[in-house]
Amino acid sequence: MRAHAAIALALALMAGPTFAEEQAEFPRVFHAGETAYKNLCAHCHGLEMVNSGVSSYDLRQWPKDDREGFEDSVRNGMGDMPAWADVLFPEEYVALWAYVVTRAGQEPLPEGLAEEFDAILNGG
């Protein structure tokens, strides 16, 4: 039994970091999106985006290739959802997209999104 445990431990260590460990190291764009989501969106769309989609849209279903549509919906509102154009800063749209496109941190962050967020924050 001990031999099996030792082998399993050795294989786990050789496998490298798990996705959960990588998630803990997500760039600040994800963490900013998580904060914005919790403050503005979670009361309707559910904590960590867990939502049945009955009373509000289930954001886990948002197409990953439709960032423009997502930002337009957030900016201008959609259905019963209010418009947030007068509330959010440009970097907050990027951060919210990072949170939604990673499915609340369950999937990898798209390449270049963290750099885009940092560039906006640094005036670039």
Side-chain angles (χ1 to χ4, degrees):
M1 183 68 145
R2 286 181 130 185
H4 293 285
I7 291 170
L9 177 60
L11 289 173
L13 291 174
M14 290 183 345
T18 66
F19 185 71
E21 290 168 334
E22 291 172 1
Q23 178 182 343
E25 297 176 6
F26 265 179
R28 62 184 173 163
V29 63
F30 171 80
H31 297 294
E34 181 178 41
T35 299
Y37 181 88
K38 285 179 180 177
N39 290 331
L40 303 173
C41 312
H43 61 282
C44 291
H45 293 285
L47 290 175
E48 297 181 358
M49 294 175 36
V50 176
N51 171 331
S52 66
V54 174
S55 61
S56 64
Y57 185 77
D58 184 349
L59 287 171
R60 294 170 296 177
Q61 304 302 314
W62 193 275
K64 289 184 169 198
D65 62 351
D66 190 16
R67 176 178 170 184
E68 185 178 316
F70 172 80
E71 289 187 14
D72 183 62
S73 296
V74 173
R75 191 173 282 111
N76 300 310
M78 179 180 240
D80 290 335
M81 186 177 110
W84 295 99
D86 293 337
V87 177
L88 297 175
F89 291 104
E91 67 271 13
E92 290 175 300
Y93 291 102
V94 178
L96 281 169
W97 178 245
Y99 189 76
V100 169
V101 78
T102 63
R103 307 304 192 226
Q106 299 302 307
E107 298 178 15
L109 190 66
E111 192 173 314
L113 205 54
E115 292 79 11
E116 179 183 346
F117 178 78
D118 289 339
I120 293 170
L121 287 179
N122 295 321

